[in-house]
Amino acid sequence: MKISNLETAQHPSSRTPRLLRPFAWLLRGLKFLLRGFAFLPRLLRLSRGGRISLWRVASGGSLDDSGRLPRYILLGAMMLAAIWAPVISYVRYAPLSYSSEMALILPGAGASTSINLSDIGQASSSANSAYSSSTLSPTVTYQSLLSSPQVLERAAKALDDIPAAFGKPRVKLLDQTSFIQVALKGGSPEQARARNAALLDAFLFELDKLRSDEIARRESSVVGAIDAYQAKVDDARRAIADLQRDSGLKSNEQYDAIIADNEDLQLEIAAGQARLEELAERIETLGRSLETTPDMAALVLKLRADPEYVTLADSLARDRADLAKLAVNFGPNHPKIVGANNRVAGLSDRLSNRGVILAGFDTLELAGDVDALADGQRAALLSSLVTLAAEARGLSAEISAKEQSLARGEARVRSLSDAAAKLDALKREYKVAEAVFASALARINTAKSDIFASYPMVQVVSSPSIEYEPTSPNIKIAVAGGVAGSAFALFSLLLAWIRQPILGRAVRLFTEGK
């Protein structure tokens, strides 16, 4: 039977149902395929004479050459079989696989710490934002760490599984964000979630391990420097203690206090000398007015204070007055005159003896002054004179003592001047060493407090999920892939069918161009 008659006998409009009319050519090809290989020599016909022609293979035939149709149907069937056989096998025999997803986020803000140490120094620590560098991306670093062998091995060991069977996570970074999406597959929903949770724990454990290792390495790098700083502090403190012990100067404040005391003494001495000059002028003026001296005024007041001496002085004054009256009327040998003289002589002797007892010498000449104190006015002046003299003597003694103290203070200042300068230098050196040492310790402590400097903090935005719908095999994607492959295969056959006119037109254009 000829092919043309076969096409007429099997026209789609007469023998094929309405729903299968679009597949009429495909059914015809399958029918030829089922007839066996009896027509194989005819199907492989490459030229009318049965000989193989390379031009025939390259150029094809005319569009109305239906003799080529069986070969195209056979080739199309083989291509479709090669496409759909894996698809059907995948859909039918691929094991079920479930997926668990979680989402992580990296906060991008930096941190800074500053510590002020009173009278010692200042320590500060700062951590830049994790995204401040254009050459380093923490999300890319964490992406690699999530898929690293040590993390996968620890996660598999946590589930008593082997790393080869654990699987590799699918890590996705969202552009222009700090989000990290992690998906991991398993044979069941529970297994997928357990694997994802184990992966998260292993990842966080590895991060903590890296942070601890970084802090330990930083500490080990500065231990030697801190020991050197501490040695400088100890040497400075030892030098200060030796100087204080040898010189007796405990602090620069003590030296400043000695200088201040000397200045105060100078001011007090000057004020005392001015007061002493004032007292001396008043004593001299009052002494001239009373025609006496302060010592004599003090003695007169002392005698006036003794009742026996005052009584004897008063009696002597009366007897002398009586003797003067009798001398006017009687002669020296008159018994009354003689009796009066005897009484005056006796009272004078007794007064002299009493004066020797009180003053240590004969005070008979002062008896008149003592008797003159009876009116009270002269006594007040003598008392003022004695008071001013006593005050002057006390002030003079005070000035003398202060001058001696000032001399000792100035000598001590001269002897401590070198020690004070050296002590000030040693204390300044000690403060610098202590500030450096304390700042180094503070920097270590602040570095420990900021453990997210190199490895930023990770927060779990979405915990490992559990999905009861399998992610593999995906029937929709498989069918879509098969349909797309079939469309490309049929389109390639169509291009092969019409290649002769296209090639002919190209050859003519090329010939005309020459």
Side-chain angles (χ1 to χ4, degrees):
M1 182 182 296
K2 296 182 178 180
I3 295 178
S4 59
N5 296 333
L6 181 61
E7 292 176 356
T8 305
Q10 296 180 355
H11 195 273
S13 61
S14 60
R15 295 182 179 270
T16 306
R18 184 180 300 275
L19 295 176
L20 298 179
R21 286 179 182 177
F23 302 95
W25 293 106
L26 180 59
L27 294 175
R28 290 180 62 187
L30 293 175
K31 186 176 181 180
F32 276 101
L33 182 63
L34 293 175
R35 287 182 180 180
F37 297 96
F39 297 96
L40 185 58
R42 186 177 179 182
L43 291 174
L44 296 177
R45 178 172 59 89
L46 298 177
S47 65
R48 294 183 180 180
R51 295 189 302 271
I52 297 176
S53 174
L54 294 178
W55 175 252
R56 175 68 172 172
V57 174
S59 62
S62 60
L63 295 179
D64 56 354
D65 185 6
S66 60
R68 297 183 298 157
L69 186 60
R71 294 193 297 274
Y72 280 80
I73 293 176
L74 177 61
L75 183 59
M78 293 173 62
M79 295 172 68
L80 292 177
I83 293 173
W84 285 97
V87 173
I88 295 174
S89 300
Y90 167 73
V91 173
R92 185 174 180 84
Y93 300 106
L96 295 178
S97 177
Y98 297 86
S99 179
S100 175
E101 296 183 355
M102 65 177 176
L104 309 177
I105 188 173
L106 278 68
S112 61
T113 303
S114 180
I115 299 176
N116 289 320
L117 306 174
S118 178
D119 298 331
I120 294 180
Q122 178 179 5
S124 61
S125 174
S126 62
N128 295 326
S129 173
Y131 303 94
S132 60
S133 176
S134 59
T135 58
L136 296 176
S137 175
T139 54
V140 176
T141 302
Y142 286 2
Q143 182 184 21
S144 302
L145 186 60
L146 282 167
S147 303
S148 61
Q150 63 270 23
V151 173
L152 297 179
E153 183 177 355
R154 178 173 294 277
K157 185 177 180 181
L159 297 178
D160 296 331
D161 202 352
I162 58 176
F166 185 80
K168 192 172 183 180
R170 180 173 57 87
V171 183
K172 182 181 179 181
L173 305 179
L174 299 183
D175 295 337
Q176 305 300 324
T177 65
S178 58
F179 278 92
I180 302 177
Q181 291 183 343
V182 183
L184 195 61
K185 292 184 179 181
S188 65
E190 291 78 9
Q191 185 185 36
R193 183 173 64 176
R195 286 182 176 180
N196 216 353
L199 178 67
L200 177 60
D201 294 338
F203 170 68
L204 296 178
F205 178 84
E206 191 66 22
L207 276 182
D208 293 337
K209 182 179 177 182
L210 291 174
R211 290 164 181 159
S212 300
D213 181 70
E214 178 192 9
I215 293 176
R217 288 176 181 270
R218 287 184 177 180
E219 287 184 357
S220 62
S221 64
V222 297
V223 166
I226 289 180
D227 293 339
Y229 297 153
Q230 187 174 6
K232 289 184 178 180
V233 172
D234 295 338
D235 293 342
R237 185 186 296 113
R238 193 178 302 109
I240 291 174
D242 294 340
L243 181 62
Q244 290 175 341
R245 183 182 62 253
D246 297 338
S247 64
L249 183 63
K250 302 303 179 182
S251 64
N252 293 95
E253 290 75 13
Q254 179 184 359
Y255 181 76
D256 295 337
I258 294 175
I259 295 177
D261 291 342
N262 291 342
E263 293 178 352
D264 293 341
L265 282 175
Q266 290 177 351
L267 295 176
E268 292 176 1
I269 290 173
Q273 290 176 347
R275 175 62 177 168
L276 183 61
E277 292 176 359
E278 179 186 357
L279 290 176
E281 183 67 24
R282 293 178 63 183
I283 291 171
E284 183 180 0
T285 303
L286 190 58
R288 286 197 303 268
S289 299
L290 297 175
E291 297 180 351
T292 184
T293 63
D295 293 335
M296 295 304 295
L299 180 59
V300 170
L301 292 175
K302 181 179 181 181
L303 296 176
R304 178 64 183 173
D306 185 65
E308 182 178 353
Y309 190 89
V310 172
T311 301
L312 290 174
D314 291 342
S315 299
L316 180 61
R318 286 194 301 271
D319 289 345
R320 284 179 175 178
D322 293 340
L323 179 60
K325 291 179 182 180
L326 292 174
V328 174
N329 300 318
F330 301 102
N333 295 322
H334 191 276
K336 290 184 178 181
I337 297 296
V338 172
N341 285 328
N342 291 333
R343 286 195 299 275
V344 169
L347 288 173
S348 297
D349 292 338
R350 292 179 60 185
L351 188 62
S352 297
N353 294 333
R354 186 63 182 170
V356 171
I357 294 173
L358 294 177
F361 62 92
D362 189 2
T363 59
L364 185 60
E365 295 179 356
L366 300 177
D369 293 335
V370 172
D371 185 62
L373 295 179
D375 57 359
Q377 185 67 29
R378 185 175 177 83
L381 293 175
L382 290 176
S383 178
S384 299
L385 181 60
V386 172
T387 301
L388 292 176
E391 183 179 356
R393 284 193 294 270
L395 184 58
S396 178
E398 181 181 356
I399 291 174
S400 177
K402 288 182 178 180
E403 287 177 346
Q404 294 177 1
S405 179
L406 177 61
R408 291 192 299 269
E410 290 178 347
R412 183 166 176 78
V413 167
R414 287 192 297 270
S415 64
L416 294 178
S417 58
D418 295 338
K422 188 175 181 181
L423 180 62
D424 183 65
L426 288 176
K427 283 192 173 182
R428 186 163 52 249
E429 181 180 352
Y430 172 73
K431 284 186 176 181
V432 172
E434 187 180 19
V436 173
F437 176 66
S439 299
L441 290 180
R443 282 196 300 271
I444 291 180
N445 293 331
T446 53
K448 287 183 179 179
S449 64
D450 185 17
I451 62 176
F452 305 109
S454 299
Y455 299 93
M457 179 176 56
V458 179
Q459 292 179 307
V460 181
V461 178
S462 176
S463 301
S465 62
I466 181 169
E467 300 290 342
Y468 293 99
E469 291 293 332
T471 57
S472 178
N474 195 326
I475 299 177
K476 294 181 180 180
I477 295 179
V479 172
V483 171
S486 300
F488 283 117
L490 295 177
F491 184 70
S492 64
L493 291 177
L494 176 62
L495 292 178
W497 183 274
I498 64 174
R499 70 182 182 276
Q500 185 180 37
I502 298 175
L503 291 175
R505 183 178 180 84
V507 170
R508 287 194 302 270
L509 292 175
F510 179 74
T511 304
E512 294 175 357
K514 286 187 176 182

